């Protein structure tokens, strides 16, 4: 069951509903209805400006970001859709903290709400490093529908995985139990 892989930890009724939508071929239609808005944030420069705008609105006092960009090396199956890194750099006798946010390239084509959700998630790491209660409260503050968007993101990833397995398997092939690697 593909839904159980992406929706582990959610109530069984939600998992069954998602699996039913997938089996009936209505998952894409459901997502299009829930997430109709597309975005124009296609370049690293546009993403940097987008992140800076959200940061200025919700986290004015947070440390500045030195780099924001899309990263083709981030892999969905390794649970890395975005990263926030901190590196110390030596400049003379001083240490400087360099902060970067990288977002998986799959978000170039994702609905606008999902891009906003992943950016909010990574921005929250500027204040809270761990995924604790304060972290999720900060995410909810910046994006009131954060929890729903996180669920929608899981459905979107499930849909992409299903599409990828249809492409990698021919029409007569049957995909192996876990889908495409």
């Amino acid at each position: 069951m593909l839904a159980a892989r992406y929706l582990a930890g959610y109530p069984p009724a939600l998992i069954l509903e998602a699996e039913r939508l997938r089996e009936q071929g209505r998952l894409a239609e459901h997502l299009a209805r829930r997430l109709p808005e597309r975005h124009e944030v296609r370049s690293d420069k546009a993403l940097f400006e987008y992140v800076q705008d959200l940061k200025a609105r919700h986290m004015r006092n947070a440390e500045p970001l030195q780099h924001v960009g899309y990263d083709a090396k981030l892999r969905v199956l390794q649970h890395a859709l975005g990263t926030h890194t901190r590196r110390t750099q030596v400049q003379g006798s001083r240490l400087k903290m360099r902060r970067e946010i990288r977002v998986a390239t799959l978000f170039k084509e994702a609905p606008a709400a999902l891009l906003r959700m992943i950016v909010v998630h990574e921005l929250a790491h500027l204040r809270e490093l761990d995924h604790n209660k304060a972290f999720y409260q900060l995410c909810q503050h910046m994006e009131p529908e954060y929890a729903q968007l996180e669920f929608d993101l899981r459905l979107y990833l499930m849909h992409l995985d299903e599409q990828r397995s249809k492409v990698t398997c021919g029409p007569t092939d049957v995909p192996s139990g876990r889908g495409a690697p």
Side-chain angles (χ1 to χ4, degrees):
M1 187 185 324
L2 191 58
R5 184 170 146 206
Y6 283 99
L7 302 175
Y10 282 93
L14 278 177
I15 295 172
L16 289 173
E17 177 67 17
E19 189 61 30
R20 186 178 59 76
L21 283 172
R22 187 189 69 75
E23 287 173 353
Q24 293 174 353
R26 294 183 21 229
L27 188 55
E29 173 190 322
H30 171 77
L31 288 168
R33 212 174 33 255
R34 283 261 327 123
L35 308 164
E37 211 177 299
R38 298 288 168 216
H39 64 82
E40 297 300 320
V41 184
R42 302 271 190 259
S43 67
D44 287 351
K45 182 179 178 184
L47 183 62
F48 183 82
E49 291 170 3
Y50 180 77
V51 170
Q52 290 294 82
D53 181 52
L54 274 174
K55 183 179 171 290
R57 258 190 277 153
H58 299 289
M59 301 179 73
R60 276 179 244 128
N61 298 330
E63 297 292 326
L65 293 165
Q66 281 70 37
H67 176 78
V68 176
Y70 287 109
D71 190 341
K73 294 178 185 174
L74 292 178
R75 303 217 32 208
V76 174
L77 296 177
Q78 294 173 336
H79 303 289
L81 300 174
T83 60
H84 171 261
T85 56
R86 297 174 182 209
R87 288 189 303 184
T88 50
Q89 287 182 314
V90 178
Q91 289 189 336
S93 62
R94 297 171 50 194
L95 287 177
K96 272 189 112 173
M97 184 70 72
R98 181 173 168 84
R99 290 169 182 78
E100 299 179 353
I101 289 180
R102 295 184 186 278
V103 175
T105 55
L106 75 90
F107 288 100
K108 282 184 178 182
E109 304 300 323
L114 298 183
L115 175 65
R116 189 172 59 250
M117 194 246 20
I118 200 71
V119 167
V120 161
H121 182 97
E122 296 308 325
L123 279 173
H125 281 301
L126 289 174
R127 289 229 176 102
E128 291 291 331
L129 292 180
D130 297 325
H131 294 119
N132 55 26
K133 187 176 180 178
F135 174 84
Y136 287 107
Q137 285 176 340
L138 182 56
C139 289
Q140 284 292 133
H141 170 73
M142 290 191 282
E143 175 52 61
E145 290 191 28
Y146 180 83
Q148 179 63 50
L149 289 173
E150 187 173 9
F151 181 77
D152 291 340
L153 174 62
R154 291 170 184 271
L155 290 178
Y156 181 74
L157 294 174
M158 188 172 82
H159 171 67
L160 291 180
D161 194 21
E162 181 180 39
Q163 297 298 83
R164 187 173 50 246
S165 69
K166 284 181 182 177
V167 170
T168 57
C169 297
T172 58
D173 295 336
V174 176
S176 61
R178 294 188 62 204

